[in-house]
Amino acid sequence: MQSATPSTKAWVDDVRRVARGVRRRVLDHTIRNNGGYLSQACSSAETLATLYLRLMKLGPSVASPVPPPFQGVPKAGRKATNGAGYNGEHAPDGDRLYFSAVHYALPLYATLIETGRMAEDGLRQFNQDGSTVEMIGAEHSPGLELTGGSLGQTLSQAGGVALARRLRGESGRNWVYMSDGEMQSGQTWEAVQALVYHRLDGVIAYVDVNGQQCDGKMTDVMAVEPLHARLEAFGARVFSVDGHDPEQLAAPAEQPPDGRPTVVLAYTDPCRGMPLMEARRPKLHYVRFKDEAERSSFADMLREMPR
Amino acid sequence: MEILSKVHARNLVSWAADKPQVVVLSADLTSSTEVDLFRDAYPERFFSMGMAEQNMMSFAGGLAREGMFPFVHTFAVFIYRRAYDQIADSIAYPNLPVRMFGFLPGVTTPGGATHQAIEDLSVMRSLPNLTVLEVGDATDVETLLDPVQAVQGPVYVRMLRGEIPRLFPENEPFRVGQARVLTHGSDVTLLSSGLCTEEALRAAAALERRGVSIQHLHVSTLKPFDDETVAHAVTSASKGVITMENHTVLGGLGTATAELMAGLGAGRPLIRVGIQDEFLHGASRPYLMKEYGLDAAALVRAVETLLHEDLAIGEGDLAAVRLENVHSAAKAEAL
């Protein structure tokens, strides 16, 4: 892996170790199940590891290490289950994560395992009937607090939560993890506009700009660049960073709030750390192996990946 | 008939005085949806969200998760047509106490098809966890907020504004899941909702003079639709049942009644007076009610069909149409 340059900072090494673990775990799961969201792990691993290890002020998990079975959808007379407990107890000065790019649920679950918030066995329930460890996670899934699967809704929901928290005088920050595909959705821009107008500077969004979406390369589907200039024109505080560099990822979050919501554009490579993925371009959204030979070549790659 | 003006505007201010967790979201229709007085009284609890309803609905969900009670106000079409996905995922699925006030139902606006909510009840009724209500007079509007606030999950209210008649006694408040019994009778059961109740009353005296015995109920809870009084009324009429609504006959009061009757094995004719699966266009309320067959004369024709007789009731036998001023201090614009 090209991220093997030794760092003088221990936390950077930790982030890199967790990121490698996320990639290996997602790849292992994909090989076992003959399918999975691999490119999402390639692009998000360092960002998720940086958020969990370095940036977000979270308490220890208060949820069951192995997620209990699904208790049913929210309805009258039933207390709804919520996956936010894996991110620690809610506290006025504590942070919250609102995970918008829920097609990245598999890398998120892997991150929870690598950071000691979920048991390894939890991932065995992935996409199993009656489990909360759903393929496209919802608010009952580990690490998730909101339901955002239609994409483009979470930033707005996080805005509402942030507004309520501000009205209560809470100081905790509200982190949103999004994908660049969501920048095609009108609601995202409505949300940025509202966060700016209502000066919700406790919201900080990390966007995985990997240039990929379901149909393939984003520029062949609907171009969204220049994101930095567009977001700035909307009034947001914007940073563009290398999404595989923990120090670059962490730096924007260390800036004190200045009245504007913050958006960090994490530019990433959807094949990073898994060279065999290159051959599958431009369709990277979901990987199912063409044949046993391909599967075994990915298994070989897994054995060679650094720990 | 007593006519009241801006009932909701004044009522919301006094009702919310001791409820700091009630916040109002508006999408650039603040005076048009009668929340201007709330904005002036409690500016710290009023949030202007601009003409961006999708974001507004998801924001409301976020606020409600944190113990606030968002009272979303805009025209009904902009709630359920523009932001349906957001209502489903950000509000209805998590069963959050967001209160949606949708204005300009059906024929109440000359704003045309883009402004006239004709299928809102159908759409909202089919969403799990939602409670769906509709008001018909000033007493309904004045006494609605306590019962709405008592509902745990999300509520959609099909709302009236401007000049509203008082049809029901001031001391008989709105109740969720409970129809108002206006007359008792045995031949025909009439279920009316919204402003169609006022319209139906125009025909009441003429029908009584012809000896038609009508059990007339004003129905204001479209979901849940489990009112025992309604169930009894639809199974007890000897000649049949009529529903009358300012809404398409697909999915609203008429459909809910048909479902109820089928389930109960009521085995009686049902005539659904309402918009017959077509769009409206921009025109006055009396014109649209006549043109689309939602007026008192349409009700008389439905009764005649059930009774198989010509009642010889002409326009002159019906009570006068109440005319509203198109330009009035009770409304922000002529819409």
Side-chain angles (χ1 to χ4, degrees):
Chain A
M1 247 172 90
Q2 56 230 80
S3 53
T5 332
S7 166
T8 51
K9 292 181 178 148
W11 73 264
V12 174
D13 293 336
D14 285 344
V15 164
R16 292 203 183 283
R17 177 180 46 74
V18 164
R20 288 194 296 274
V22 167
R23 283 196 182 84
R24 274 201 317 275
R25 202 170 283 282
V26 170
L27 177 57
D28 177 63
H29 181 89
T30 302
I31 292 165
R32 286 173 199 272
N33 293 272
N34 193 26
Y37 292 94
L38 269 187
S39 70
Q40 289 81 355
C42 292
S43 57
S44 70
E46 283 78 17
T47 310
L48 294 180
T50 305
L51 283 167
Y52 270 93
L53 292 180
R54 180 70 179 173
L55 298 181
M56 298 189 295
K57 206 163 112 191
L58 306 178
S61 169
V62 290
S64 166
V66 175
F70 185 48
Q71 300 299 306
V73 295
K75 63 200 272 190
R78 179 190 284 156
K79 192 169 159 32
T81 45
N82 192 279
Y86 289 88
N87 297 331
E89 199 138 29
H90 285 173
D93 60 343
D95 290 355
R96 309 254 200 112
L97 171 66
Y98 310 102
F99 201 83
S100 188
V102 280
H103 295 69
Y104 292 58
L106 184 52
L108 172 65
Y109 302 146
T111 307
L112 292 176
I113 294 171
E114 294 296 328
T115 55
R117 293 177 177 273
M118 186 165 94
E120 213 167 350
D121 280 353
L123 204 54
R124 292 207 188 142
Q125 297 180 33
F126 184 83
N127 206 20
Q128 300 295 307
D129 291 345
S131 150
T132 59
V133 191
E134 291 181 13
M135 183 171 67
I136 309 292
E139 60 193 81
H140 44 261
S141 302
L144 299 188
E145 178 159 344
L146 306 177
T147 295
S150 98
L151 301 180
Q153 290 195 24
T154 299
L155 189 60
S156 302
Q157 295 182 71
V161 174
L163 178 54
R165 296 189 74 191
R166 186 173 73 189
L167 291 170
R168 280 205 301 266
E170 298 194 3
S171 59
R173 295 179 91 176
N174 304 286
W175 303 79
V176 180
Y177 185 77
M178 315 176 51
S179 64
D180 50 357
E182 293 180 275
M183 294 293 161
Q184 290 169 348
S185 164
Q187 187 180 356
T188 299
W189 298 97
E190 291 185 0
V192 174
Q193 168 182 283
L195 294 171
V196 169
Y197 180 71
H198 290 291
R199 299 179 61 82
L200 289 164
D201 62 4
V203 175
I204 175 162
Y206 274 69
V207 186
D208 182 30
V209 190
N210 66 3
Q212 287 290 321
Q213 61 187 121
C214 188
D215 266 5
K217 211 170 144 193
M218 278 182 68
T219 48
D220 295 334
V221 183
M222 179 57 67
V224 294
E225 292 287 7
L227 282 178
H228 194 112
R230 286 175 79 180
L231 287 159
E232 252 178 11
F234 268 63
R237 180 165 68 163
V238 190
F239 301 89
S240 294
V241 302
D242 174 352
H244 298 295
D245 181 329
E247 288 179 90
Q248 280 197 42
L249 281 163
E254 282 152 17
Q255 303 286 322
D258 71 347
R260 296 177 291 172
T262 299
V263 181
V264 180
L265 298 169
Y267 281 83
T268 61
D269 168 10
C271 302
R272 180 63 62 98
M274 298 190 199
L276 287 178
M277 289 288 283
E278 295 288 350
R280 300 188 66 102
R281 284 184 191 269
K283 290 271 279 183
L284 295 170
H285 179 70
Y286 186 84
V287 167
R288 182 172 289 117
F289 302 115
K290 293 192 283 282
D291 49 33
E292 199 46 49
E294 190 186 28
R295 176 145 94 166
S296 100
S297 68
F298 272 73
D300 292 342
M301 179 173 74
L302 174 60
R303 277 189 290 277
E304 287 156 22
M305 277 165 67
R307 293 194 171 262
Chain B
M1 190 189 297
E2 187 192 4
I3 304 295
L4 291 89
S5 179
K6 296 197 78 170
V7 180
H8 181 60
R10 285 176 280 108
N11 188 48
L12 182 62
V13 169
S14 53
W15 180 84
D18 60 351
K19 299 176 185 70
Q21 278 150 324
V22 168
V23 297
V24 167
L25 306 186
S26 170
D28 189 34
L29 288 167
T30 300
S31 28
S32 299
T33 60
E34 299 195 352
V35 281
D36 45 349
L37 301 185
F38 183 99
R39 175 199 58 201
D40 298 343
Y42 315 114
E44 72 291 348
R45 286 198 269 151
F46 174 85
F47 298 99
S48 174
M49 301 308 290
M51 215 172 66
E53 293 80 6
Q54 299 184 345
N55 175 67
M56 176 168 69
M57 301 315 288
S58 292
F59 239 80
L63 282 160
R65 280 184 190 268
E66 296 300 311
M68 309 303 286
F69 294 97
F71 279 51
V72 176
H73 284 69
T74 188
F75 293 164
V77 286
F78 303 135
I79 294 178
Y80 72 96
R81 283 186 188 160
R82 181 142 302 213
Y84 183 72
D85 187 42
Q86 287 73 16
I87 297 169
D89 296 357
S90 297
I91 296 171
Y93 177 80
N95 197 26
L96 295 168
V98 174
R99 286 68 171 93
M100 294 166 267
F101 291 82
F103 289 77
L104 307 193
V107 299
T108 56
T109 176
T114 54
H115 285 60
Q116 294 155 333
I118 59 165
E119 82 291 11
D120 51 332
L121 300 174
S122 175
V123 164
M124 296 304 240
R125 222 166 58 86
S126 59
L127 261 183
N129 290 337
L130 238 73
T131 296
V132 180
L133 309 174
E134 178 172 15
V135 298
D137 91 321
T139 301
D140 273 357
V141 174
E142 269 172 2
T143 57
L144 173 79
L145 299 176
D146 275 333
V148 162
Q149 191 62 354
V151 176
Q152 268 194 342
V155 181
Y156 173 73
V157 185
R158 195 175 211 232
M159 203 58 181
L160 293 174
R161 60 165 198 178
E163 293 176 348
I164 309 174
R166 188 185 299 287
L167 306 177
F168 316 126
E170 276 178 75
N171 60 357
E172 289 180 17
F174 185 101
R175 291 188 205 284
V176 174
Q178 201 171 306
R180 295 178 185 273
V181 181
L182 306 183
T183 61
H184 293 275
S186 54
D187 296 338
V188 171
T189 285
L190 168 63
L191 306 179
S192 63
S193 58
L195 56 76
C196 280
T197 296
E198 181 192 1
E199 184 66 20
L201 292 173
R202 289 182 55 220
L207 288 167
E208 198 185 332
R209 280 197 297 275
R210 297 295 189 280
V212 184
S213 173
I214 295 191
Q215 170 152 221
H216 183 189
L217 272 59
H218 170 69
V219 178
S220 50
T221 303
L222 281 305
K223 185 186 175 182
F225 202 69
D226 57 3
D227 182 351
E228 288 294 327
T229 310
V230 173
H232 183 261
V234 298
T235 48
S236 60
S238 63
K239 304 292 185 188
V241 177
I242 298 170
T243 56
M244 189 174 175
E245 59 190 317
N246 170 28
H247 184 272
T248 169
V249 293
L250 303 181
L253 176 65
T255 298
T257 303
E259 291 164 354
L260 177 70
M261 290 175 71
L264 293 170
R268 281 168 179 71
L270 165 67
I271 296 179
R272 292 170 298 152
V273 174
I275 300 164
Q276 302 296 319
D277 194 19
E278 59 184 326
F279 284 103
L280 310 179
H281 69 110
S284 73
R285 173 173 130 173
Y287 171 89
L288 290 172
M289 291 193 86
K290 192 174 175 60
E291 192 68 15
Y292 286 87
L294 325 178
D295 61 352
L299 171 61
V300 170
R301 289 194 295 276
V303 172
E304 289 175 332
T305 303
L306 283 185
L307 300 180
H308 305 292
E309 67 176 280
D310 182 350
L311 295 170
I313 296 175
E315 277 288 342
D317 300 312
L318 302 171
V321 177
R322 180 174 62 85
L323 292 174
E324 284 177 67
N325 294 323
V326 172
H327 297 282
S328 131
K331 291 192 292 184
E333 54 183 314
L335 263 175

